[in-house]
Every structure is written in structure tokens, then in C-alpha cells.
């Protein structure tokens, strides 16, 4: 077998994805059930929730512990039939949403979990926006059918309207809550009966088609009639499922089930491995990189710091984009030009972290790092390319960061710089008064920064309030218009870490006025434009 064949075979069998949801919809439970099917774990309850519980916001040790868990579950790799599956975990707590956005740049598709009673919730909406920006294929799993919830047709309408994507049910629930009898698998034309059980898989009834009398005897005549009516309606309303629009990120297949009861999960997984994309081509600033290219390339999408102050080491998580990553081969860190070799790259298989000799496109390797990497860095066999698509979003909360120990200003500088490299938050420097502003998604990140600056760098800081609505990146083809704007708004101008102009708007009204008054300027709410 030639090496090219091996490479394409390895690529074709890989499925790298993330499960996303609003907290409590069932992401952890679903992940665990997928691992059960993959034989990666043998008993439910083995996966610890990566959730940082809401009550823990002020309990630092608790957060530390939970962050520890999140390293272990950062990537879950396992084999399922001929497929190699990599699930990338995303933090459950919404204050770490920025981490989740970045993880989404490293996946080839996504499964969204929605609670049947709650429908589409705020965080799901936001994460879907990121998927839409990147045309990421999504499959939706409507969870908790064993509980009372909304009418499935109503849920489909809501998914379509709120997530702004066409939907197509590939399974259909029979009853709900106490009357939940099972699902009809539209994709495979089979009937699965519900038996509440957290460990075992449900019972499948062999049927020829939906008119088979075995349907009536399995679920009773009234439910069978209802099911046939529903399916007729579905055929009428939704076009037949076609994989192309799904792969283009325009159509989301929908499955129904109950993760807790391991129900509808295998159907989801079986369909997922068939239709979900293998590693896709990835854009760099210079060209598109094809996974089957012989030479290795990859990028850092996440850096996980070791919280032990005696070991200032990190793990940089690299997504392999092309070729084969080999242990001890020399690779070029494009930003710094350094040639680096990695003697102990790790990967996660069946919940175990192992040193790996090679990794293929779609795989994630963890590289021990002592400060050589920043989020977004590219590794290659020598080519000068830069992977795109790690946008920063305008933060939701802003605070001035002030040094409280003048003897430690160097440590503070260094700490802030390294934490920003890790992507913990965003730094803007106000051009008017030179003060540093930290922008985050949630309050918890400020606590993380303060704690880590003290414990890892010995630097003390204090937060001071600043009332800001949004930070937006501005640009214009007309240098005079840009200069005029910067002059008018000089008190509210800042630069980001890359030296780009950022306008700090203190209210929506001010922002709208600025947009009206300066039509030649473009205002961006993500750093990727
Ligand atoms: P998350 O990661 O999306 O935040 O959600 P997680 O899986 O932790 O699930 C949130 C809660 O919903 C858990 O209950 C879980 O047991 C429950 N759950 C998940 N799937 C189903 C389902 O299909 N049916 C029902 N009825 N419940 C489901 P909890 O009480 O918060 O936690 P735990 O004490 O059970 O761990």
C-alpha cells in the first residue's frame, strides 16, 4: 500500500466534531453515551462533567479542580467501526464561551443538543452564529423526550427560525414524556421502542415500511395512526433529505431522543458517521490546504496552562490539517521561524492520554509548551503559511486593569501578555490615556485572570469599572475618513494586541450615530474581516 493511500484512508475515516448546547441541555450526557458506544468507557457515569457549576463562581479551588477535569476531557478519541472519532470538548460555563468559539475552528462538524422543553436557548443561538460564519455542518439532537416538552413540529419551526438554518427531521418521536413510546427512524426506516434504561440500548422492531401492521402491534393503533399522519405531513413539508446542503451548512438533520436513557443516540451516531464530513480543506491567508497533501501542517487552537505554579508549562493543542504529524520530526513554527521537534506529543484515545508517534488530519495532538505558542500559530514542514479563522469577538464586559504593586510591574506585563497569548481574554490599550482594558465574555474570566496573575506571576492587580457597550474594529479605504473619525473619537480609540484600531462605543446609540456619521468606515464586531 502506498503512503498516499494510507493517508487518504486515514483522512476518510476521521470524524472530528464538537457537541454544543446551552448548559443543562444534555451535552455531557450525550458525550458519555457516544463514548459508551465507542467502547471508550464501559459504564455510564464515568465521564465527569466539565461543567463549572453555577454556584462555584467564587469558589476558586472548585474551578481549579474542574479545569483539571477539562484538560482530561479536552479531546476524546475512539474508534467506532471503521471510523476514528474525535470529540472536542467545549467548556460548559458561558463565561468561557470564547474557548468554545475557538474550538469550533478546529472541528469539521457539530452536533447541537436542544432540550425539548426549553427549545433554542441563548447560548445555542450564539454558537450557531459561529457555525454559520464558517459554514460548519450541524446535526441537531432534540433531547429529553422522556420528559414533557413541546410539540415536535413546534420545535422544528423554532429551530429553523431561531438558528436560521433549514431543518429536516431524520427521526420522529412517538409521543412525549409519560406517553413517549419511541422513535421512528426516517433515515433507516426502522422503529425503535423506548425502554427507559440508562445503560442498555433500546429495542428495535423489524418492519418493512410504515404501513406494516407490526407498527400497530408495537405501539398501539392510535399512536400508529398519529405517526403515519405525522410522517405524511413531514414528507409534504420537508424536501427529501439530501446530504449536499447539510455539508454546505445550509440544512440541519434533526434527531429526537433521550441521552440519559441512551435512546436515539445510536441512531444519531450511525447516521453521523455516514454523513458527517471527514477533515475538510482549511483556508490559510496564502492558499487552501488540502488534508491529503503529503506535507504536514496544523494550527494551535487552544492552550491549556498548567495551574501548578511550580511547573509553568502548558499544553498547546494542535489540529492536524494536512499530511502526517510525526514525533521527533522538525517542524517550523511560522510566526517565530523557529524549528521545533516534539519528543512527547500526546493524543487522547479511549480516555487515556498517550504519547503518539503519528497523527493524521482531523486528529488533535497536545504539545508540551513552555511559552513558544500563541493561539492561532501555524506549524508546517517549512512553508510560510498562516491558518485563518480564529476570530476574536467583541467582548461583552470590560474593565481597566491596574497594577497594585509598583515593584512588580514587569511581572504584571509579562503575565498579561502570556494570558492573552493563551486567549484567556482580550486586551485593548486606550490611545487617549494609555490605560489597559481587558475585555471578557463573563465575570468569571476577570477572577481567573486576577488569580492567575497572582499565583503564576506574583503580580497583583485591581479592576476598575469602565462603562462600555462594544469594542469594534474599524477600517476604511479612505485614510482621511479614518483619520477624521479617530480625531473626533480620540478619547474612545484603542488598539488591540495586533495594533489594529478599535473603537470603544459606550452605548448602542453612540455606535449607531458613529455608523451614520461616518459611512465610509466599516465597523466589525469580530476581528476576522
Ligand atoms: P450539559 O452538559 O449540557 O450541561 O448537560 P448534562 O448532560 O449535564 O445534563 C443536564 C441534566 O439533564 C442532568 O441532570 C442530566 O442527567 C439531565 N439529562 C440529560 N439527558 C436527559 C434526558 O434525556 N432525559 C432527562 N430526563 N434528563 C436528562 P442533573 O440532575 O443536572 O445532573 P445529574 O445529577 O443527573 O448528573
Amino acid at each position: 500500500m502506498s503512503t498516499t493511500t494510507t493517508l487518504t484512508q486515514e483522512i476518510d475515516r476521521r470524524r472530528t466534531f464538537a457537541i454544543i448546547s446551552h448548559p443543562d441541555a444534555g451535552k455531557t450526557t450525550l458525550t458519555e453515551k457516544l463514548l459508551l458506544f465507542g467502547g471508550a468507557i464501559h459504564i455510564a457515569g464515568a465521564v465527569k462533567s466539565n461543567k463549572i457549576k453555577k454556584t462555584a463562581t467564587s469558589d476558586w479551588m472548585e474551578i481549579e479542580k474542574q479545569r483539571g477535569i477539562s484538560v482530561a476531557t479536552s479531546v476524546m478519541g475512539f474508534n467506532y467501526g471503521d471510523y476514528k472519532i474525535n470529540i472536542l470538548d467545549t467548556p460548559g460555563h458561558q463565561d468561557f464561551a470564547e474557548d468554545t468559539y475557538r474550538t469550533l475552528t478546529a472541528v469539521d462538524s457539530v452536533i447541537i443538543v436542544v432540550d425539548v422543553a426549553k427549545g433554542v436557548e441563548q447560548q445555542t443561538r450564539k454558537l450557531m452564529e459561529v457555525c454559520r460564519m464558517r459554514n460548519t455542518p450541524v446535526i441537531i439532537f432534540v433531547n429529553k423526550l422522556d420528559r414533557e416538552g413541546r410539540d415536535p413540529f413546534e420545535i422544528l419551526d423554532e429551530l429553523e427560525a431561531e438558528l436560521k438554518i433549514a431543518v429536516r427531521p431524520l427521526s420522529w418521536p412517538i409521543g412525549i414524556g409519560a406517553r413517549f413510546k419511541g422513535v421512528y427512524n426516517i433515515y433507516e426506516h426502522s422503529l425503535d421502542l423506548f425502554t427507559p434504561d440508562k445503560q442498555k440500548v433500546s429495542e428495535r422492531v423489524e418492519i418493512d415500511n410504515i404501513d406494516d401492521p407490526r407498527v400497530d402491534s408495537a405501539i398501539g393503533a392510535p399512536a400508529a395512526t398519529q405517526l403515519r399522519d405525522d410522517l405524511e405531513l413531514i414528507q409534504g413539508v420537508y424536501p427529501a433529505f439530501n446530504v449536499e446542503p447539510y455539508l454546505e451548512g445550509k440544512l440541519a438533520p434533526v434527531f429526537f431522543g433521550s441521552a440519559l436513557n441512551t435512546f436515539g443516540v445510536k441512531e444519531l451516531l450511525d447516521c453521523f458517521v455516514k454523513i458527517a464530513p471527514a477533515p475538510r480543506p482549511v483556508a490559510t491567508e496564502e492558499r487552501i490546504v488540502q488534508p491529503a497533501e503529503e506535507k504536514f501542517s496544523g494550527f494551535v487552537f487552544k492552550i491549556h496552562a498548567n495551574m501548578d505554579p511550580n511547573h509553568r508549562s502548558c499544553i498547546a493543542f494542535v489540529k492536524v490539517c494536512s499530511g502526517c504529524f510525526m514525533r521527533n520530526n522538525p517542524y517550523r513554527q511560522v510566526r517565530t521561524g523557529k524549528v521545533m521537534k516534539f519528543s512527547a506529543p500526546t493524543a487522547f484515545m479511549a480516555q487515556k492520554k498517550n504519547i503518539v508517534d503519528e497523527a493524521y488530519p482531523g486528529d488533535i495532538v497536545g504539545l508540551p509548551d513552555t511559552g513558544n505558542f500563541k493561539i492561532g500559530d501555524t506549524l508546517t514542514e517549512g512553508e510560510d503559511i498562516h491558518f485563518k479563522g480564529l476570530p476574536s469577538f467583541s467582548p461583552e464586559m470590560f474593565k481597566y486593569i491596574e497594577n497594585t504593586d509598583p515593584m512588580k510591574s514587569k511581572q504584571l506585563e509579562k503575565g498579561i501578555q502570556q494570558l492573552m497569548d493563551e486567549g484567556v481574554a482580550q486586551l485593548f490599550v486606550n490611545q487617549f490615556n494609555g490605560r489597559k482594558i481587558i475585555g471578557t465574555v463573563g465575570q468569571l474570566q476577570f477572577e481567573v485572570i486576577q488569580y492567575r496573575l497572582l499565583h503564576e506571576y506574583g503580580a497583583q492587580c485591581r479592576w476598575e469599572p469602565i462603562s462600555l457597550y462594544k469594542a469594534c474594529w474599524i477600517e476604511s479605504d479612505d485614510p482621511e475618513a479614518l483619520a477624521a473619525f479617530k480625531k473626533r473619537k480620540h478619547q474612545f480609540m484603542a488598539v488591540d494586541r495586533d495594533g489594529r484600531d478599535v473603537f470603544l462605543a459606550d452605548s448602542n446609540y453612540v455606535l449607531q450615530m458613529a455608523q451614520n456619521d461616518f459611512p465610509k468606515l466599516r465597523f466589525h464586531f469580530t476581528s476576522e474581516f
Side-chain angles (χ1 to χ4, degrees):
M1 202 190 313
S2 77
T3 39
T4 326
T5 334
T6 320
L7 180 60
T8 37
Q9 280 171 347
E10 290 296 342
I11 294 168
D12 287 347
R13 73 186 198 94
R14 274 169 172 73
R15 299 287 181 273
T16 301
F17 71 105
I19 303 179
I20 55 178
S21 72
H22 193 85
D24 279 342
K27 178 172 75 77
T28 312
T29 313
L30 180 64
T31 307
E32 177 178 280
K33 297 310 162 88
L34 294 175
L35 295 179
L36 266 178
F37 283 117
I41 54 171
H42 298 290
I43 180 158
V47 177
K48 289 284 167 291
S49 168
N50 168 15
K51 271 196 291 195
I52 291 173
K53 300 262 189 264
K54 293 167 203 95
T55 49
T57 44
S58 56
D59 182 350
W60 247 100
M61 287 329 284
E62 190 53 32
I63 294 174
E64 300 274 280
K65 259 191 270 159
Q66 299 198 19
R67 272 181 63 102
I69 293 165
S70 79
V71 181
T73 58
S74 276
V75 185
M76 288 160 281
F78 60 91
N79 287 310
Y80 182 68
D82 292 335
Y83 297 96
K84 161 81 193 291
I85 294 184
N86 295 312
I87 305 180
L88 271 51
D89 199 16
T90 54
H93 198 291
Q94 59 179 12
D95 284 9
F96 294 109
E98 193 85 19
D99 267 12
T100 305
Y101 303 152
R102 275 193 297 264
T103 300
L104 292 181
T105 64
V107 300
D108 298 299
S109 70
V110 152
I111 293 179
I112 296 179
V113 185
V114 172
D115 183 326
V116 70
K118 296 191 177 142
V120 176
E121 293 171 271
Q122 176 239 342
Q123 205 170 332
T124 317
R125 220 173 283 131
K126 196 143 187 205
L127 293 169
M128 182 64 206
E129 264 172 46
V130 182
C131 295
R132 231 191 342 267
M133 279 169 64
R134 312 180 53 81
N135 301 321
T136 310
V138 304
I139 294 183
I140 300 170
F141 183 73
V142 180
N143 191 26
K144 307 196 186 180
L145 264 290
D146 60 317
R147 283 210 195 144
E148 294 305 324
R150 312 253 197 91
D151 173 70
F153 282 110
E154 199 185 303
I155 284 280
L156 289 180
D157 286 347
E158 182 173 319
L159 291 171
E160 208 153 54
E162 296 275 336
L163 300 181
K164 302 192 183 75
I165 187 165
V167 295
R168 175 55 162 107
L170 287 188
S171 82
W172 194 251
I174 304 158
I176 189 166
R179 291 157 289 108
F180 183 52
K181 290 197 158 73
V183 293
Y184 179 73
N185 187 328
I186 302 175
Y187 188 67
E188 290 183 354
H189 303 289
S190 60
L191 185 65
D192 294 303
L193 296 186
F194 178 65
T195 36
D197 192 324
K198 291 174 194 161
Q199 299 276 343
K200 246 182 29 222
V201 187
S202 49
E203 181 195 341
R204 174 162 286 195
V205 179
E206 290 307 324
I207 52 168
D208 293 329
N209 57 49
I210 188 63
D211 295 318
D212 196 316
R214 279 176 286 191
V215 176
D216 300 70
S217 43
I219 60 174
T225 310
Q226 176 73 48
L227 175 63
R228 289 184 187 113
D229 289 350
D230 284 354
L231 290 175
E232 207 176 298
L233 191 58
I234 290 167
Q235 308 299 358
V237 175
Y238 298 98
F241 175 66
N242 184 348
V243 78
E244 280 312 313
Y246 157 68
L247 291 174
E248 289 164 8
K250 294 185 179 132
L251 174 85
V254 181
F255 286 84
F256 292 84
S258 165
L260 188 64
N261 293 291
T262 325
F263 190 77
V265 177
K266 187 166 188 302
E267 293 70 28
L268 170 75
L269 181 59
D270 285 338
C271 176
F272 168 81
V273 291
K274 278 187 214 140
I275 67 171
R280 307 201 293 170
V282 191
T284 69
E285 277 163 27
E286 295 77 9
R287 66 184 187 86
I288 304 278
V289 169
Q290 299 293 336
E293 286 176 24
E294 208 180 298
K295 290 198 169 148
F296 159 75
S297 67
F299 66 89
V300 177
F301 67 95
K302 173 173 175 153
I303 294 177
H304 215 297
N306 187 337
M307 303 298 271
D308 177 354
N310 300 321
H311 292 266
R312 262 224 52 82
S313 66
C314 308
I315 302 179
F317 288 85
V318 172
K319 159 104 187 253
V320 180
C321 296
S322 69
C324 176
F325 172 94
M326 309 271 272
R327 186 159 80 94
N328 282 328
N329 266 17
Y331 293 124
R332 178 176 147 88
Q333 211 285 37
V334 175
R335 180 175 53 83
T336 58
K338 258 192 205 167
V339 174
M340 304 172 81
K341 282 185 184 180
F342 304 95
S343 57
T346 51
F348 299 83
M349 254 325 254
Q351 295 245 290
K352 284 196 202 80
K353 189 169 134 196
N354 296 317
I355 291 193
V356 286
D357 289 322
E358 54 188 39
Y360 292 94
D363 286 343
I364 311 298
V365 283
L367 305 178
D369 175 36
T370 46
N372 288 307
F373 288 116
K374 278 190 195 182
I375 296 269
D377 277 348
T378 301
L379 275 180
T380 67
E381 288 193 23
E383 191 181 350
D384 215 356
I385 48 173
H386 302 82
F387 282 99
K388 286 209 284 197
L390 293 146
S392 299
F393 292 82
S394 178
E396 318 262 326
M397 300 175 94
F398 302 86
K399 283 183 187 179
Y400 281 123
I401 182 164
E402 297 296 340
N403 188 5
T404 51
D405 182 352
M407 303 297 285
K408 297 281 174 65
S409 54
K410 269 216 176 99
Q411 284 85 336
L412 185 70
E413 268 315 295
K414 185 170 173 222
I416 292 176
Q417 191 202 327
Q418 290 195 351
L419 293 185
M420 298 306 127
D421 285 351
E422 250 180 56
V424 173
Q426 292 180 60
L427 172 71
F428 304 101
V429 180
N430 187 319
Q431 293 307 88
F432 178 64
N433 55 21
R435 292 176 81 182
K436 290 192 172 71
I437 299 166
I438 302 284
T440 69
V441 180
Q443 176 59 30
L444 195 50
Q445 278 169 291
F446 291 112
E447 292 174 37
V448 171
I449 292 168
Q450 195 165 26
Y451 180 94
R452 291 191 54 191
L453 284 172
L454 182 62
H455 288 261
E456 294 172 36
Y457 300 90
Q460 292 191 34
C461 73
R462 160 181 97 233
W463 301 110
E464 284 197 5
I466 173 171
S467 166
L468 284 182
Y469 167 68
K470 273 231 159 36
C472 44
W473 287 264
I474 54 164
E475 55 160 6
S476 175
D477 299 328
D478 181 346
E480 275 175 27
L482 190 62
F485 181 83
K486 283 162 78 170
K487 193 164 170 217
R488 165 100 70 95
K489 299 285 182 190
H490 67 287
Q491 284 179 313
F492 299 95
M493 289 307 303
V495 290
D496 72 2
R497 280 188 343 117
D498 300 320
R500 292 193 291 181
D501 289 324
V502 175
F503 170 50
L504 306 168
D506 53 2
S507 72
N508 190 17
Y509 175 74
V510 164
L511 180 60
Q512 282 181 1
M513 289 299 285
Q515 284 170 318
N516 284 342
D517 293 349
F518 290 87
K520 286 186 177 162
L521 256 64
R522 291 184 290 276
F523 295 77
H524 301 280
F525 299 97
T526 76
S527 65
E528 190 184 67
F529 47 84

